[in-house]
Structures are given as structure tokens and as C-alpha cells.
Amino acid sequence: MNMQVILKQIGDCILRRCELSDIIPVMEINLRTLPEHYSDYFYESLLEELPEAFIVAEISGKIVGYIMCKIEHGFSNFKKLGFVKKGHVVSIAVIDTHRRKGFGSVLVDEAIKGVKLRQCSELYLEVRCSNTDAVKLYEKLGFSIIQRLKSYYRDGEDAYVMAIDFPS
Ligand code: ACO
Ligand code: ZN
């Protein structure tokens, strides 16, 4: 039997860790909602590397959102000259008919818990400067804009780097 641990429940929506069999529906949501796409191998490698922060939102057996992250070692976004272990949100999306119900926020919350379980001291991401919905969501959850990356995306748009610190 397949025992799934429910991390959080909001109405009829449950949050749980992603499983291999969820990768196809997750890829479908990504294809429909974001211009940045990845190979199935890449999704599988993120799931293998950091299952604690690869979370799906599910309603009646249907995946309606996901967040996936990886771990990196690099310079801190907060500590001057600090070298840290940090989480990186690679991608998050909620299908458009289920937005503004809080699912995006709880997905980020669970990813934060997941990277903390792996002793990351920060979590960061890149977001299109025009994506005001997402920027607002991240700010609401405690992320700050750290820098602007010129022409970060293939179509030439700039990105904000946003990050949240988990002081010990
Ligand atoms: N207008 C204004 N503010 C918004 C909007 C909106 N349309 N959507 C979200 N927000 C802000 C609000 O502050 C909101 O809080 P509130 O509802 O209390 O006002 C807050 O974000 C949280 O909203 P949620 O309901 O938790 O978020 P949602 O489930 O709608 O998901 C998400 C947000 C994931 C950004 C969704 O809009 C989406 O999938 N967008 C398309 C994909 C995308 O842009 N992903 C992020 C790319 S960056 C990256 O992946 C690292
Ligand atoms: Zn990134």
C-alpha cells in the first residue's frame, strides 16, 4: 500500500511530498503555466536530491500545484563573505483555476520547512520582474529582493533574486 504523509490540509486540498508518479502531472502544470521547462530527468533528479522540498498540492487525486527546489553551496545573500548551504526554489506553480486560495503560500511554507530539515540557512529564487503576483507572494512570506539580474531569461527579461534568511 502507498502511505502518503499529509503535510497540510486546506479545505479539500492536501499538501504532500511529490512521488515519481506525480512527475508527469507536475510537468504538465509547468508546461501550461511557465515558459521555463525542464526534462523529465531533471524533475526526477530534483526529487531524488531534495524530496523534503518537492511538494505537490492535490485535490481529489488531481495535482493542482507544485514547488521544487535544490540545494546549493555558495555565497550568502545575507552574510558578508559568508559561504553557506542554501535552498534554491527552481519552480513553483498553481493551476490558474485554483489561484488565490492560499495554495502558493503553503507550498512555499512547506518548501521552507523542507530545506530547513536539510540544514539550509537561506532559501532563494529568481522571478521575472514583471511577475508582480509572485513577487508579492514571496514578500508576504518574508523574502526580500536582493538584486536584479539583467536579461536573465531567454526572452531578455530581467529577474529579481529574492531570498529569505533563517538565522540560527
Ligand atoms: N494579484 C495580486 N496579488 C497576488 C495575486 C494576484 N493575482 N496572486 C497572488 N498574490 C499575492 C497576494 O499577496 C496573495 O495573498 P492574498 O491572497 O492574501 O492577497 C499571495 O500572493 C499568496 O497568494 P496564494 O493564493 O497563496 O498564491 P497562489 O496559490 O495564487 O499561487 C503563484 C501564486 C504560484 C505565483 C501562482 O500565481 C502561479 O502559479 N503563477 C504562475 C506561475 C508562476 O509565476 N510561478 C512563479 C514563478 S518564479 C519561480 O518559480 C521561482
Ligand atoms: Zn533559479
Side-chain angles (χ1 to χ4, degrees):
M1 200 171 70
N2 195 2
M3 294 290 288
Q4 286 169 343
V5 177
I6 296 176
L7 300 166
K8 183 157 272 171
Q9 183 144 16
I10 319 131
D12 52 3
C13 178
I14 63 155
L15 260 64
R16 59 172 177 77
R17 284 192 189 174
C18 184
E19 296 180 356
L20 262 183
S21 57
D22 299 317
I23 297 239
I24 298 284
V26 164
M27 286 178 76
E28 282 170 0
I29 294 175
N30 169 267
L31 284 168
R32 270 190 282 150
T33 54
L34 283 165
E36 289 75 41
H37 306 139
Y38 318 93
S39 68
D40 51 356
Y41 170 77
F42 183 66
Y43 288 86
E44 285 170 21
S45 65
L46 292 184
L47 181 57
E48 188 165 276
E49 177 194 319
L50 190 50
E52 297 89 342
F54 196 149
I55 313 294
V56 294
E58 181 184 73
I59 298 176
S60 313
K62 185 179 178 243
I63 307 294
V64 297
Y66 70 89
I67 189 166
M68 59 186 193
C69 307
K70 60 183 174 173
I71 288 182
E72 291 169 7
H73 298 85
F75 287 109
S76 170
N77 285 301
F78 299 97
K79 285 195 291 279
K80 242 190 169 170
L81 300 176
F83 200 75
V84 294
K85 182 174 179 181
K86 53 189 181 177
H88 178 172
V89 180
V90 175
S91 184
I92 171 175
V94 173
I95 62 174
D96 52 4
T97 49
H98 286 284
R99 289 186 193 155
R100 294 314 288 274
K101 298 178 177 179
F103 302 158
S105 304
V106 288
L107 282 167
V108 175
D109 275 340
E110 290 304 321
I112 288 173
K113 288 185 197 162
V115 299
K116 283 181 174 172
L117 285 174
R118 294 286 293 271
Q119 274 74 47
C120 290
S121 57
E122 314 178 354
L123 180 61
Y124 84 98
L125 54 83
E126 300 93 9
V127 57
R128 285 178 184 267
C129 293
S130 64
N131 194 347
T132 44
D133 293 355
V135 169
K136 269 191 225 155
L137 181 158
Y138 302 137
E139 280 176 337
K140 198 177 86 172
L141 295 174
F143 286 76
S144 323
I145 295 175
I146 303 292
Q147 59 169 320
R148 186 178 183 124
L149 302 176
K150 272 264 157 236
S151 300
Y152 177 77
Y153 295 98
R154 285 166 62 116
D155 60 10
E157 188 172 348
D158 296 357
Y160 288 129
V161 174
M162 297 186 72
I164 181 170
D165 194 15
F166 313 130
S168 44

